[in-house]
Amino acid sequence: MTDVPVTVEARGSDFARLARKINQAGLLDRRPLYYTLRLSLVAVAFVGGWVAFVLVGDSWWTLLVAFASAVAFAQLALVAHDLAHRQVFRNRRPSEIAGRIAGNLFIGMGYGWWTDKHTRHHANPNHEDHDPDVSPAVIVWSVEQAERVKGLPRFVARRQAWLFFPLLTLEGWHLHVASFKALAKESMRHRGLEAALLVVHFVWFFGLIFTVLPFGKAVVFTLVHQAVFGVYLGCTFAPNHKGMPILTKEDELDFLRKQVLTSRNVRGGWIVDVALGGLNYQIEHHLFPNMPTPNLRKAKPIVMAHCAELGVDYLESGLISSYGQALRHLHEVGEPLRKVKARA
């Protein structure tokens, strides 16, 4: 993610030549009609979910509404992602205003915290020391990380391939907690505004749920809603980098190779495009993070041809296959710990 639109400046001659082709094709131009339609549809789905919640009221059928509303939450998170990358608006101010409304106010995810984390991910994808998305928290991503962890992460690492999807049910709560924890950092910009919007989010979210439903149903609704939200988000981001090479300080790659070799595209047509919010074109997205989502599909053949010309591996898999690759990688990472456990 960058505040400066990608141009043909030198990031290495291989990338500069590719960037020139992309610019000549006009694929970095804004797509206002597309985003007007997409934001309108997501807004209708989001509001419609809560209208349905009120209309269904005190009934266990409300759990179906929880599922549908969680999907709308995840789609809104994908819109916030595009806003943070300045794919929607070219300037920072409208991007930040819309991003904080979508992130902090509507889904309870701190825009400032997430933008900082995601920027570091884009700068060094799958880098063991610099990418926060592969830092060893509960799950570990390399054998070296597995050998260093203690306590709960070590316990989980032995069977993390089996626990991966169950753990995703907690991802929504992790986003909320991490958003509040980040407010303690003095480096966070607009901390007061971010905090206020987060508080307003949880006031209206829990206030509405516990007003419409009796306590028991309200708790179950909340748990289902947040579990589906977390699983959806996790399933959106997991196919993109998980199971791809993990880089260390010994790896010295130029910009193009660093982005392409650590990313995976996902095939599947327009259904996958909608479900994953365009992130199935992960290679193109990482090379040109401010490229509007509908242009990623058009950039794909240009990038593929360029990589073939350079002899750079370009990986594309089906959706189920990509999950399989990620889970196999997690299983292999935990194997040394399982052997230690077996010998003990």
Side-chain angles (χ1 to χ4, degrees), residues 192-210:
L193 175 61
E194 296 242 353
L197 291 174
L198 285 173
V199 169
V200 171
H201 165 80
F202 286 103
V203 168
W204 76 254
F205 180 80
F206 288 117
L208 180 59
I209 292 172
F210 283 85

Side-chain angles (χ1 to χ4, degrees), residues 155-229:
F155 172 83
V156 171
R158 297 191 190 104
R159 49 191 66 81
Q160 59 185 11
W162 297 99
L163 295 175
F164 180 69
F165 286 107
L167 286 171
L168 288 182
T169 62
L170 303 175
E171 179 62 20
W173 297 110
H174 165 257
L175 294 177
H176 303 319
V177 172
S179 297
F180 275 105
K181 288 175 64 176
L183 296 174
K185 299 179 180 178
E186 293 185 1
S187 59
M188 174 72 69
R189 297 172 61 246
H190 306 296
R191 284 194 297 169
L193 175 61
E194 296 242 353
L197 291 174
L198 285 173
V199 169
V200 171
H201 165 80
F202 286 103
V203 168
W204 76 254
F205 180 80
F206 288 117
L208 180 59
I209 292 172
F210 283 85
T211 297
V212 172
L213 298 178
F215 183 81
K217 283 192 179 77
V219 170
V220 175
F221 179 95
T222 302
L223 292 176
V224 170
H225 184 280
Q226 290 298 297
V228 174
F229 176 51

Side-chain angles (χ1 to χ4, degrees), residues 48 50-58 212:
W50 291 111
V51 171
F53 169 73
V54 173
L55 293 177
V56 172
D58 183 5
V212 172

Side-chain angles (χ1 to χ4, degrees), residues 136-157:
V138 176
I139 290 179
V140 295
W141 305 100
S142 70
V143 172
E144 291 74 19
Q145 288 180 345
E147 292 173 345
R148 295 194 299 266
V149 295
K150 305 293 182 182
L152 179 61
R154 190 174 184 87
F155 172 83
V156 171

Side-chain angles (χ1 to χ4, degrees), residues 196-274:
L197 291 174
L198 285 173
V199 169
V200 171
H201 165 80
F202 286 103
V203 168
W204 76 254
F205 180 80
F206 288 117
L208 180 59
I209 292 172
F210 283 85
T211 297
V212 172
L213 298 178
F215 183 81
K217 283 192 179 77
V219 170
V220 175
F221 179 95
T222 302
L223 292 176
V224 170
H225 184 280
Q226 290 298 297
V228 174
F229 176 51
V231 170
Y232 191 140
L233 283 185
C235 288
T236 298
F237 288 95
N240 304 331
H241 300 281
K242 309 313 179 190
M244 298 302 290
I246 299 293
L247 305 181
T248 66
K249 59 184 177 182
E250 284 76 29
D251 296 301
E252 297 183 3
L253 300 175
D254 64 6
F255 177 79
L256 183 143
R257 287 164 179 81
K258 178 167 60 175
Q259 303 297 337
V260 174
L261 296 178
T262 60
S263 302
R264 177 197 297 113
N265 274 18
V266 179
R267 294 188 296 267
W270 70 268
I271 295 178
V272 172
D273 288 3
V274 172

